[in-house]
mmCIF file with all atom_site columns, all heavy atoms in Angstrom:
data_model
loop_
_atom_site.group_PDB
_atom_site.id
_atom_site.type_symbol
_atom_site.label_atom_id
_atom_site.label_alt_id
_atom_site.label_comp_id
_atom_site.label_asym_id
_atom_site.label_entity_id
_atom_site.label_seq_id
_atom_site.pdbx_PDB_ins_code
_atom_site.Cartn_x
_atom_site.Cartn_y
_atom_site.Cartn_z
_atom_site.occupancy
_atom_site.B_iso_or_equiv
_atom_site.pdbx_formal_charge
_atom_site.auth_seq_id
_atom_site.auth_comp_id
_atom_site.auth_asym_id
_atom_site.auth_atom_id
_atom_site.pdbx_PDB_model_num
ATOM   1   N  N   . LYS A 1 98  ? 50.157 122.591 -183.945 1.00 95.00 ? 315 LYS A N   1
ATOM   2   C  CA  . LYS A 1 98  ? 49.644 121.601 -184.992 1.00 95.00 ? 315 LYS A CA  1
ATOM   3   C  C   . LYS A 1 98  ? 49.414 122.350 -186.364 1.00 95.00 ? 315 LYS A C   1
ATOM   4   O  O   . LYS A 1 98  ? 49.653 121.864 -187.398 1.00 95.00 ? 315 LYS A O   1
ATOM   5   C  CB  . LYS A 1 98  ? 48.385 121.066 -184.483 1.00 95.00 ? 315 LYS A CB  1
ATOM   6   C  CG  . LYS A 1 98  ? 48.610 120.005 -183.375 1.00 95.00 ? 315 LYS A CG  1
ATOM   7   C  CD  . LYS A 1 98  ? 47.239 119.440 -182.938 1.00 95.00 ? 315 LYS A CD  1
ATOM   8   C  CE  . LYS A 1 98  ? 47.590 118.347 -181.877 1.00 95.00 ? 315 LYS A CE  1
ATOM   9   N  NZ  . LYS A 1 98  ? 46.249 117.924 -181.253 1.00 95.00 ? 315 LYS A NZ  1
ATOM   10  N  N   . THR A 1 236 ? 53.817 117.342 -192.786 1.00 96.00 ? 453 THR A N   1
ATOM   11  C  CA  . THR A 1 236 ? 52.427 117.597 -192.186 1.00 96.00 ? 453 THR A CA  1
ATOM   12  C  C   . THR A 1 236 ? 52.192 116.787 -190.989 1.00 96.00 ? 453 THR A C   1
ATOM   13  O  O   . THR A 1 236 ? 51.191 117.095 -190.360 1.00 96.00 ? 453 THR A O   1
ATOM   14  C  CB  . THR A 1 236 ? 51.384 117.111 -193.343 1.00 96.00 ? 453 THR A CB  1
ATOM   15  O  OG1 . THR A 1 236 ? 51.435 115.801 -193.385 1.00 96.00 ? 453 THR A OG1 1
ATOM   16  C  CG2 . THR A 1 236 ? 51.601 117.751 -194.680 1.00 96.00 ? 453 THR A CG2 1
ATOM   17  N  N   . LEU A 1 237 ? 53.178 115.991 -190.619 1.00 95.00 ? 454 LEU A N   1
ATOM   18  C  CA  . LEU A 1 237 ? 52.873 115.139 -189.447 1.00 95.00 ? 454 LEU A CA  1
ATOM   19  C  C   . LEU A 1 237 ? 53.503 116.071 -188.214 1.00 95.00 ? 454 LEU A C   1
ATOM   20  O  O   . LEU A 1 237 ? 54.613 116.492 -188.246 1.00 95.00 ? 454 LEU A O   1
ATOM   21  C  CB  . LEU A 1 237 ? 53.908 113.989 -189.495 1.00 95.00 ? 454 LEU A CB  1
ATOM   22  C  CG  . LEU A 1 237 ? 53.680 112.718 -188.756 1.00 95.00 ? 454 LEU A CG  1
ATOM   23  C  CD1 . LEU A 1 237 ? 52.260 112.086 -189.221 1.00 95.00 ? 454 LEU A CD1 1
ATOM   24  C  CD2 . LEU A 1 237 ? 54.719 111.649 -189.000 1.00 95.00 ? 454 LEU A CD2 1
ATOM   25  N  N   . CYS A 1 238 ? 52.600 116.202 -187.172 1.00 92.00 ? 455 CYS A N   1
ATOM   26  C  CA  . CYS A 1 238 ? 53.049 116.884 -186.064 1.00 92.00 ? 455 CYS A CA  1
ATOM   27  C  C   . CYS A 1 238 ? 53.645 115.992 -184.994 1.00 92.00 ? 455 CYS A C   1
ATOM   28  O  O   . CYS A 1 238 ? 53.565 114.789 -185.092 1.00 92.00 ? 455 CYS A O   1
ATOM   29  C  CB  . CYS A 1 238 ? 52.082 117.976 -185.571 1.00 92.00 ? 455 CYS A CB  1
ATOM   30  S  SG  . CYS A 1 238 ? 50.446 117.395 -185.254 1.00 92.00 ? 455 CYS A SG  1
ATOM   31  N  N   . THR A 1 239 ? 54.169 116.677 -183.943 1.00 90.00 ? 456 THR A N   1
ATOM   32  C  CA  . THR A 1 239 ? 54.939 115.809 -183.069 1.00 90.00 ? 456 THR A CA  1
ATOM   33  C  C   . THR A 1 239 ? 54.253 114.530 -182.498 1.00 90.00 ? 456 THR A C   1
ATOM   34  O  O   . THR A 1 239 ? 54.834 113.509 -182.300 1.00 90.00 ? 456 THR A O   1
ATOM   35  C  CB  . THR A 1 239 ? 55.259 116.680 -181.856 1.00 90.00 ? 456 THR A CB  1
ATOM   36  O  OG1 . THR A 1 239 ? 55.914 117.838 -182.341 1.00 90.00 ? 456 THR A OG1 1
ATOM   37  C  CG2 . THR A 1 239 ? 56.279 116.076 -180.866 1.00 90.00 ? 456 THR A CG2 1
ATOM   38  N  N   . GLY A 1 240 ? 52.961 114.707 -182.189 1.00 90.00 ? 457 GLY A N   1
ATOM   39  C  CA  . GLY A 1 240 ? 52.186 113.592 -181.610 1.00 90.00 ? 457 GLY A CA  1
ATOM   40  C  C   . GLY A 1 240 ? 52.340 112.297 -182.504 1.00 90.00 ? 457 GLY A C   1
ATOM   41  O  O   . GLY A 1 240 ? 52.710 111.296 -182.000 1.00 90.00 ? 457 GLY A O   1
ATOM   42  N  N   . CYS A 1 241 ? 51.996 112.399 -183.706 1.00 94.00 ? 458 CYS A N   1
ATOM   43  C  CA  . CYS A 1 241 ? 52.127 111.354 -184.676 1.00 94.00 ? 458 CYS A CA  1
ATOM   44  C  C   . CYS A 1 241 ? 53.565 111.079 -185.079 1.00 94.00 ? 458 CYS A C   1
ATOM   45  O  O   . CYS A 1 241 ? 53.974 109.839 -185.355 1.00 94.00 ? 458 CYS A O   1
ATOM   46  C  CB  . CYS A 1 241 ? 51.217 111.493 -185.933 1.00 94.00 ? 458 CYS A CB  1
ATOM   47  S  SG  . CYS A 1 241 ? 49.342 111.253 -185.646 1.00 94.00 ? 458 CYS A SG  1
ATOM   48  N  N   . GLY A 1 269 ? 49.987 111.497 -191.260 1.00 97.00 ? 486 GLY A N   1
ATOM   49  C  CA  . GLY A 1 269 ? 49.961 112.929 -191.620 1.00 97.00 ? 486 GLY A CA  1
ATOM   50  C  C   . GLY A 1 269 ? 48.785 113.485 -192.288 1.00 97.00 ? 486 GLY A C   1
ATOM   51  O  O   . GLY A 1 269 ? 47.548 112.954 -192.007 1.00 97.00 ? 486 GLY A O   1
ATOM   52  N  N   . LYS A 1 270 ? 48.760 114.429 -193.248 1.00 96.00 ? 487 LYS A N   1
ATOM   53  C  CA  . LYS A 1 270 ? 47.648 115.084 -193.757 1.00 96.00 ? 487 LYS A CA  1
ATOM   54  C  C   . LYS A 1 270 ? 47.612 114.973 -195.228 1.00 96.00 ? 487 LYS A C   1
ATOM   55  O  O   . LYS A 1 270 ? 46.612 115.249 -195.911 1.00 96.00 ? 487 LYS A O   1
ATOM   56  C  CB  . LYS A 1 270 ? 47.582 116.457 -193.331 1.00 96.00 ? 487 LYS A CB  1
ATOM   57  C  CG  . LYS A 1 270 ? 47.645 116.665 -191.816 1.00 96.00 ? 487 LYS A CG  1
ATOM   58  C  CD  . LYS A 1 270 ? 47.598 118.156 -191.536 1.00 96.00 ? 487 LYS A CD  1
ATOM   59  C  CE  . LYS A 1 270 ? 47.639 118.303 -190.038 1.00 96.00 ? 487 LYS A CE  1
ATOM   60  N  NZ  . LYS A 1 270 ? 49.057 118.287 -189.424 1.00 96.00 ? 487 LYS A NZ  1
ATOM   61  N  N   . GLY A 1 285 ? 45.731 108.179 -187.339 1.00 97.00 ? 502 GLY A N   1
ATOM   62  C  CA  . GLY A 1 285 ? 45.484 109.531 -186.707 1.00 97.00 ? 502 GLY A CA  1
ATOM   63  C  C   . GLY A 1 285 ? 44.302 110.204 -187.494 1.00 97.00 ? 502 GLY A C   1
ATOM   64  O  O   . GLY A 1 285 ? 43.935 109.920 -188.661 1.00 97.00 ? 502 GLY A O   1
ATOM   65  N  N   . ASN A 1 286 ? 43.666 111.129 -186.664 1.00 97.00 ? 503 ASN A N   1
ATOM   66  C  CA  . ASN A 1 286 ? 42.482 111.834 -187.212 1.00 97.00 ? 503 ASN A CA  1
ATOM   67  C  C   . ASN A 1 286 ? 42.692 112.597 -188.381 1.00 97.00 ? 503 ASN A C   1
ATOM   68  O  O   . ASN A 1 286 ? 41.799 112.614 -189.309 1.00 97.00 ? 503 ASN A O   1
ATOM   69  C  CB  . ASN A 1 286 ? 41.953 112.745 -186.111 1.00 97.00 ? 503 ASN A CB  1
ATOM   70  C  CG  . ASN A 1 286 ? 41.491 112.035 -184.848 1.00 97.00 ? 503 ASN A CG  1
ATOM   71  O  OD1 . ASN A 1 286 ? 41.271 110.780 -184.837 1.00 97.00 ? 503 ASN A OD1 1
ATOM   72  N  ND2 . ASN A 1 286 ? 41.127 112.720 -183.827 1.00 97.00 ? 503 ASN A ND2 1
ATOM   73  N  N   . CYS A 1 287 ? 43.913 113.170 -188.687 1.00 97.00 ? 504 CYS A N   1
ATOM   74  C  CA  . CYS A 1 287 ? 44.176 113.965 -189.912 1.00 97.00 ? 504 CYS A CA  1
ATOM   75  C  C   . CYS A 1 287 ? 44.157 113.085 -190.969 1.00 97.00 ? 504 CYS A C   1
ATOM   76  O  O   . CYS A 1 287 ? 43.481 113.427 -192.064 1.00 97.00 ? 504 CYS A O   1
ATOM   77  C  CB  . CYS A 1 287 ? 45.594 114.650 -189.746 1.00 97.00 ? 504 CYS A CB  1
ATOM   78  S  SG  . CYS A 1 287 ? 45.578 115.819 -188.508 1.00 97.00 ? 504 CYS A SG  1
ATOM   79  N  N   . GLY A 1 306 ? 42.411 109.038 -183.174 1.00 95.00 ? 523 GLY A N   1
ATOM   80  C  CA  . GLY A 1 306 ? 43.232 109.719 -182.044 1.00 95.00 ? 523 GLY A CA  1
ATOM   81  C  C   . GLY A 1 306 ? 44.124 110.856 -182.550 1.00 95.00 ? 523 GLY A C   1
ATOM   82  O  O   . GLY A 1 306 ? 44.478 110.898 -183.747 1.00 95.00 ? 523 GLY A O   1
ATOM   83  N  N   . CYS A 1 307 ? 44.514 111.684 -181.663 1.00 93.00 ? 524 CYS A N   1
ATOM   84  C  CA  . CYS A 1 307 ? 45.245 112.924 -182.108 1.00 93.00 ? 524 CYS A CA  1
ATOM   85  C  C   . CYS A 1 307 ? 46.322 113.101 -180.966 1.00 93.00 ? 524 CYS A C   1
ATOM   86  O  O   . CYS A 1 307 ? 46.080 114.063 -180.222 1.00 93.00 ? 524 CYS A O   1
ATOM   87  C  CB  . CYS A 1 307 ? 44.319 114.088 -182.335 1.00 93.00 ? 524 CYS A CB  1
ATOM   88  S  SG  . CYS A 1 307 ? 45.197 115.655 -182.689 1.00 93.00 ? 524 CYS A SG  1
ATOM   89  N  N   . PRO A 1 308 ? 47.354 112.422 -180.902 1.00 94.00 ? 525 PRO A N   1
ATOM   90  C  CA  . PRO A 1 308 ? 47.603 111.232 -181.724 1.00 94.00 ? 525 PRO A CA  1
ATOM   91  C  C   . PRO A 1 308 ? 46.906 109.982 -181.216 1.00 94.00 ? 525 PRO A C   1
ATOM   92  O  O   . PRO A 1 308 ? 46.484 109.910 -180.019 1.00 94.00 ? 525 PRO A O   1
ATOM   93  C  CB  . PRO A 1 308 ? 49.181 110.981 -181.497 1.00 94.00 ? 525 PRO A CB  1
ATOM   94  C  CG  . PRO A 1 308 ? 49.455 111.653 -180.050 1.00 94.00 ? 525 PRO A CG  1
ATOM   95  C  CD  . PRO A 1 308 ? 48.391 112.618 -179.802 1.00 94.00 ? 525 PRO A CD  1
ATOM   96  N  N   . PRO A 1 309 ? 46.969 108.903 -182.017 1.00 95.00 ? 526 PRO A N   1
ATOM   97  C  CA  . PRO A 1 309 ? 46.283 107.651 -181.521 1.00 95.00 ? 526 PRO A CA  1
ATOM   98  C  C   . PRO A 1 309 ? 47.231 107.001 -180.352 1.00 95.00 ? 526 PRO A C   1
ATOM   99  O  O   . PRO A 1 309 ? 48.482 107.321 -180.221 1.00 95.00 ? 526 PRO A O   1
ATOM   100 C  CB  . PRO A 1 309 ? 46.424 106.731 -182.787 1.00 95.00 ? 526 PRO A CB  1
ATOM   101 C  CG  . PRO A 1 309 ? 46.811 107.570 -183.883 1.00 95.00 ? 526 PRO A CG  1
ATOM   102 C  CD  . PRO A 1 309 ? 47.521 108.891 -183.373 1.00 95.00 ? 526 PRO A CD  1
HETATM 103 S  S1  . SF4 B 2 .   ? 46.297 113.293 -185.946 1.00 80.35 ? 604 SF4 B S1  1
HETATM 104 FE FE1 . SF4 B 2 .   ? 48.506 113.359 -185.692 1.00 80.35 ? 604 SF4 B FE1 1
HETATM 105 S  S2  . SF4 B 2 .   ? 49.099 114.622 -187.382 1.00 80.35 ? 604 SF4 B S2  1
HETATM 106 FE FE2 . SF4 B 2 .   ? 47.010 115.066 -187.116 1.00 80.35 ? 604 SF4 B FE2 1
HETATM 107 S  S3  . SF4 B 2 .   ? 47.002 116.866 -185.625 1.00 80.35 ? 604 SF4 B S3  1
HETATM 108 FE FE3 . SF4 B 2 .   ? 46.788 114.890 -184.354 1.00 80.35 ? 604 SF4 B FE3 1
HETATM 109 S  S4  . SF4 B 2 .   ? 48.932 114.471 -183.776 1.00 80.35 ? 604 SF4 B S4  1
HETATM 110 FE FE4 . SF4 B 2 .   ? 49.122 115.897 -185.495 1.00 80.35 ? 604 SF4 B FE4 1
#
Side-chain angles (χ1 to χ4, degrees):
K315 286 178 179 172
T453 69
L454 200 67
C455 53
T456 310
C458 279
K487 303 176 182 87
N503 290 352
C504 292
C524 179

